Amino acid sequence: MEGSLKPMDAEQLRECAHKMVDFVADYYKNIENFPVLSQVQPGYLRELLPDSAPTHPESLQDVLNDVQAKILPGVTHWQSPDYFAYFPSNSSIAGFLGEMLSAGINMVGFSWITSPAATELEMIVLDWLAKALKLPDEFLSTGKGGGVIQGTACEAVLVVLLAARDRVLRKVGKDAVGKLVVYSSDQTHSALQKACQIGGIHPENCQVLETDPSTDHALAPESLSQAISQDIASGLIPFFLCATVGTTSSTAVDPLLALGNITKTNGMWFHVDAAYAGSACICPEFRHYIDGVEEADSFNMNAHKWFLTNFDCSALWIKDRSALIQSLSTNPEFLKNKASEGNTVVDYKDWQIPLGRRFRCVI
Ligand SMILES: *Cc1c(COP(=O)(O)O)cnc(C)c1O
C-alpha cells in the first residue's frame, strides 16, 4: 500500500539478530573480566562520539565494535556475578527471549482492542503469579480485582495513592485534600514520598513513624494507632498506609495483619510494598512474611528485582479495580471502540499513568 512503511526485511532481520545475539552471548561469557563498577569519568562519551548524528549508514559489525570499545567501558555490570550494589536485578535466558519476542512483535496494548492477546495474557499471568504468592482471591481478575504490570514500584505506589485519595475525596469532598494524611515508617522507600509530592498530599501530612532497632525496624502498630488518633483529634483525615515487606535499607518486615486491622477500623487504604522481597514469598518457607496481606487493598512486587525478569516489570495487584479506573480513566473520541463500550473488557490504559504500554507479560 502506498504511504505505508515497509516492514522489516525478514532475511536481514535474521542475519542481524544472529550477530546481535552472538555479541550478547560473548558479553555474558566474558562478563567477569570487567570491573563491576564502570571506571569512566563524567562526560567520557562526548569525547568519543561525533558532534552530530552520522549521515551515512555503517555496518552492524562497525556498530558493535563501537559498542565494545566505547559503550561497554561505561557500563556498570548489573548482571555480573560479582555485582552486589543496590538490589539484585538478574535477568535470565527466558527473560531475554521474552524481551526479544516483545520487541519483535512490537504491539502497543493500551486497550483490549489494540491487541487482545497482550491484555488477556497479562491478566492470566498476573492471576497465576497471585496464586503462586497465595494472595487472597480478591486480588484475582476473575472477581473485582486484578493485576497489572507497572514499570516500577514508584508508579505502582503512585497509582494506588491516587485511587485511595480520590476514593476518600468522593466521601469528604475535594476541598479536604489538605487534610489527608499518609502514614509510613522511617524505613519506607522514597517512592512513597515521590507519590505524595505528585499526588498533592501536604508535606506536613506525610507522617513518617519512627522504628526501633529492637524490633528490626518493623513499624509498631501502637505508634500507627497513636499517630492516627492524634491526627483525627486535630481534624485531619488519615487515609493511606504504606507498609513494607523487606525495606530496601534494612529488610524490615512490617506486621501486616496488625497494621491492616488498624487501617480497616479507620477506613483507610492499605498498600503493601514488597518490591524487593515479594518474589521470595512464592517459596513456601518464606510465605509467612506476607501473612496478613488479606487485609491489604493493594500489593506490589518487582519481578525485575529477584524474579529473573528483565527490567522493568513491577507487578501490582488491587482488590477494587474500579477505584483505580475512576482515578485514571479518560475516554477521548479517538480511543472509543465497540469492545470497550460494554465494560466487558479490561483496558489497561485506565490502570496506569501513560496511555501507551508495551507487551511486557511475555518477559
Ligand atoms: C526497589 C524498591 C522500590 C522502588 O522500586 P522502583 O521499581 O525502582 O520504583 C520501592 N520499594 C522497595 C521496598 C524497593 O525495594
Side-chain angles (χ1 to χ4, degrees):
M1 190 173 71
E2 280 291 318
S4 181
L5 284 173
K6 190 167 175 270
M8 276 193 270
D9 179 278
E11 287 318 313
Q12 200 181 1
L13 173 65
R14 205 184 305 279
E15 195 187 311
C16 293
H18 267 294
K19 268 211 176 98
M20 191 67 94
V21 171
D22 272 348
F23 181 86
V24 176
D26 284 340
Y27 170 67
Y28 276 92
K29 209 169 170 180
N30 299 313
I31 196 163
E32 284 169 87
N33 297 335
F34 295 102
V36 175
L37 182 67
S38 170
Q39 305 293 303
V40 300
Q41 296 301 314
Y44 90 100
L45 193 54
R46 200 166 282 283
E47 291 169 19
L48 300 179
L49 293 188
D51 282 340
S52 47
T55 46
H56 294 288
E58 282 183 15
S59 72
L60 178 58
Q61 193 52 55
D62 285 344
V63 173
L64 291 176
N65 291 346
D66 267 357
V67 173
Q68 185 75 38
K70 298 173 183 170
I71 301 300
L72 287 189
V75 170
T76 291
H77 300 279
W78 286 65
Q79 301 308 316
S80 167
D82 299 326
Y83 179 92
F84 292 102
Y86 305 107
F87 52 82
S89 184
N90 299 111
S91 183
S92 57
I93 293 178
F96 177 87
L97 295 178
E99 279 284 354
M100 256 172 83
L101 195 56
S102 173
I105 300 174
N106 196 26
M107 57 172 125
V108 185
F110 52 79
S111 296
W112 179 87
I113 193 72
T114 65
S115 266
T119 299
E120 297 200 9
L121 185 62
E122 184 162 329
M123 292 168 72
I124 293 166
V125 169
L126 283 163
D127 281 350
W128 288 348
L129 197 49
K131 287 177 190 171
L133 281 158
K134 296 199 165 37
L135 295 183
D137 286 351
E138 292 142 288
F139 283 118
L140 300 180
S141 67
T142 40
K144 290 185 173 162
V148 57
I149 298 176
Q150 304 280 328
T152 62
C154 284
E155 290 160 79
V157 70
L158 172 60
V159 296
V160 296
L161 184 100
L162 297 178
R165 180 197 67 184
D166 294 348
R167 186 179 75 172
V168 68
L169 289 180
R170 279 193 292 276
K171 269 197 225 140
V172 300
K174 279 201 163 67
D175 293 345
V177 68
K179 293 184 181 170
L180 301 184
V181 190
V182 171
Y183 300 84
S184 63
S185 89
D186 55 11
Q187 304 299 304
T188 304
H189 195 279
S190 56
L192 180 68
Q193 186 197 335
K194 192 178 271 194
C196 290
Q197 285 167 205
I198 298 172
I201 305 303
H202 196 293
E204 281 176 15
N205 292 349
C206 299
Q207 280 265 26
V208 178
L209 304 169
E210 225 173 285
T211 60
D212 196 330
S214 69
T215 53
D216 289 334
H217 291 287
L219 175 56
E222 307 78 56
S223 53
L224 176 67
S225 294
Q226 254 177 28
I228 290 176
S229 303
Q230 277 171 13
D231 288 336
I232 292 175
S234 318
L236 298 172
I237 306 170
F239 86 106
F240 190 87
L241 168 68
C242 178
T244 311
V245 174
T247 60
T248 315
S249 48
S250 56
T251 66
V253 177
D254 293 333
L256 303 188
L257 187 60
L259 295 171
N261 284 334
I262 298 169
T263 60
K264 269 232 169 90
T265 313
N266 291 283
M268 294 161 61
W269 188 289
F270 181 29
H271 176 64
V272 175
D273 174 7
Y276 180 22
S279 30
C281 301
I282 293 171
C283 306
E285 65 272 33
F286 299 129
R287 171 58 179 76
H288 65 93
Y289 285 116
I290 55 168
D291 283 355
V293 70
E294 303 74 41
E295 303 300 321
D297 295 283
S298 48
F299 175 85
N300 163 239
M301 74 93 151
N302 278 358
H304 66 238
K305 275 185 176 155
W306 224 6
F307 202 54
L308 302 177
T309 301
N310 273 55
F311 190 85
D312 50 354
C313 182
S314 186
L316 170 69
W317 291 269
I318 184 160
K319 277 186 185 165
D320 175 15
R321 61 177 177 254
S322 74
L324 256 192
I325 294 168
Q326 284 184 71
S327 278
L328 301 175
S329 162
T330 54
N331 195 21
E333 198 57 37
F334 57 86
L335 295 181
K336 287 185 179 152
N337 66 85
K338 275 244 148 35
S340 298
E341 266 169 25
N343 267 343
T344 50
V345 296
V346 161
D347 289 329
Y348 273 131
K349 70 180 175 60
D350 299 334
W351 298 46
Q352 62 174 18
I353 293 161
L355 169 61
R357 66 197 324 266
R358 60 200 195 95
F359 183 38
R360 264 199 286 229
C361 50
V362 287
I363 306 168

